[in-house]
Amino acid sequence: VAFITVWLLALLACSATGVSPQKQQQQLQPHTSNWAVLVATSKYWYNYRHIANTLSFYRTVKRLGIPDSNIILMLAEDVACNPRNAYPGQVFNDESHRLNVYGSNVEVDYRGYEVTVENFIRVLTGRHDPAVPRPKRMLSDKGSNVLVYISGHGGNEFMKFQDVEELMAQDVADAIQQMHEKGRYRELLLVVETCQAATLYSKINSPNVLAMASSLKDESSYSYLTDMDVGLSLIDRFTWSSLEFFEQVDIHSSMTLAQLMSIYK
């Protein structure tokens, strides 16, 4: 599928700001499947944009061919049903309200209090309690291309979950190393949308991993498109720019990550 394979031709060539091939590639296994883990870590209504960021990526990966059975969607706050929402059951990512990214067929796998650091790491590593149902598991293998997108508040080498706990850069590195050792990915693309985002992947040494970030160390990640009806910013700038690119992509496209990098000026 184009969205997951868009970076393949540039894995070893990317050196743009906020992009890091974490280690020289090892020989790739035959491609078997595509998976996406999409996480909005922030609770509270005023973090509307983090939910919209993640739902926008959810819509995009579905449009480009990844089925819900291969998407793990984690939303810490249900802004669509928040009583402050002037548009109940809807979430928008631009002021025209042209597209409801919540839609009528969103399958949220982890919601509210279920969105924790522990559950996120368990999804990546596959180390679940036997009682966890199949829709909450990523059943990837050594032939799977995996996209991990995470949006929320963060800082130097950490990402906040629910405003009560933190995912550390070392946690991310350890989880991906376990994934590599257990044969849970072929190639992995990590996309981080937060302040000082690049520091979250600073500890990764596993092969065949590429990471993209909305900001470098000591930099902020900025919101975008304030909506007077909603009363908040609707999306973050890095995610908006990325989605503009992906709107030009379909499952037959041959665009590369190098072309995506060219838009971040």
Side-chain angles (χ1 to χ4, degrees):
V1 175
F3 185 79
I4 293 296
T5 59
V6 71
W7 74 87
L8 294 183
L9 299 181
L11 268 171
L12 299 180
C14 288
S15 58
T17 297
V19 182
S20 177
Q22 295 305 321
K23 192 174 182 180
Q24 185 174 358
Q25 277 190 301
Q26 292 185 356
Q27 185 172 353
L28 294 176
Q29 298 291 326
H31 177 228
T32 60
S33 62
N34 298 317
W35 286 82
V37 180
L38 312 175
V39 189
T41 68
S42 301
K43 63 188 299 186
Y44 305 127
W45 167 251
Y46 58 78
N47 291 313
Y48 182 106
R49 68 188 185 277
H50 297 155
I51 308 301
N53 288 342
T54 307
L55 287 171
S56 297
F57 258 82
Y58 171 78
R59 171 190 171 274
T60 297
V61 298
K62 284 187 67 175
R63 179 178 66 81
L64 294 174
I66 302 182
D68 269 312
S69 60
N70 287 35
I71 301 173
I72 304 297
L73 180 60
M74 308 178 76
L75 301 180
E77 177 69 35
D78 190 358
V79 297
C81 298
N82 191 293
R84 300 184 188 181
N85 191 350
Y87 302 93
Q90 301 180 79
V91 178
F92 302 108
N93 63 8
D94 68 35
E95 309 103 308
S96 71
H97 299 175
R98 174 184 56 85
L99 177 65
N100 171 20
V101 293
Y102 195 77
S104 60
N105 61 346
V106 172
E107 295 187 14
V108 183
D109 301 292
Y110 292 82
R111 186 189 301 270
Y113 69 88
E114 295 180 313
V115 182
T116 63
V117 171
E118 178 182 348
N119 282 339
F120 173 65
I121 291 175
R122 288 186 181 279
V123 166
L124 295 183
T125 61
R127 300 177 65 179
H128 294 285
D129 184 278
V132 173
R134 184 254 174 262
K136 291 179 178 285
R137 299 171 181 251
M138 181 174 70
L139 304 180
S140 59
D141 57 38
K142 62 184 179 182
S144 300
N145 288 340
V146 178
L147 166 69
V148 180
Y149 173 87
I150 184 167
S151 175
H153 290 294
N156 187 9
E157 297 189 5
F158 73 88
M159 171 75 79
K160 296 174 70 174
F161 270 63
Q162 300 276 9
D163 209 32
V164 296
E165 60 177 343
E166 296 173 350
L167 173 73
M168 307 303 295
Q170 191 62 58
D171 297 330
V172 175
D174 290 346
I176 293 176
Q177 181 61 30
Q178 288 186 53
M179 292 177 70
H180 169 61
E181 293 172 355
K182 297 173 69 175
R184 288 181 57 78
Y185 73 88
R186 173 178 181 265
E187 293 188 299
L188 188 147
L189 174 62
L190 173 63
V191 182
V192 185
E193 170 75 87
T194 189
C195 296
Q196 305 194 67
T199 64
L200 195 65
Y201 58 69
S202 61
K203 305 294 185 181
I204 298 174
N205 288 307
S206 304
N208 299 339
V209 177
L210 183 69
M212 296 171 53
S214 61
S215 56
L216 298 178
K217 185 176 180 180
D218 298 325
E219 290 182 348
S220 296
S221 181
Y222 293 102
S223 60
Y224 193 53
L225 299 179
T226 299
D227 187 296
M228 300 309 294
D229 291 335
V230 175
L232 295 165
S233 296
L234 299 182
I235 197 167
D236 281 309
R237 186 178 298 273
F238 173 79
T239 295
W240 172 264
S241 297
S242 302
L243 292 170
E244 280 192 316
F245 174 86
F246 287 120
E247 285 301 309
Q248 306 171 46
V249 176
D250 61 33
I251 60 174
H252 305 294
S253 296
S254 58
M255 290 183 174
T256 67
L257 187 61
Q259 291 172 281
L260 174 60
M261 291 306 102
S262 69
I263 72 172
Y264 301 128
K265 302 295 186 181

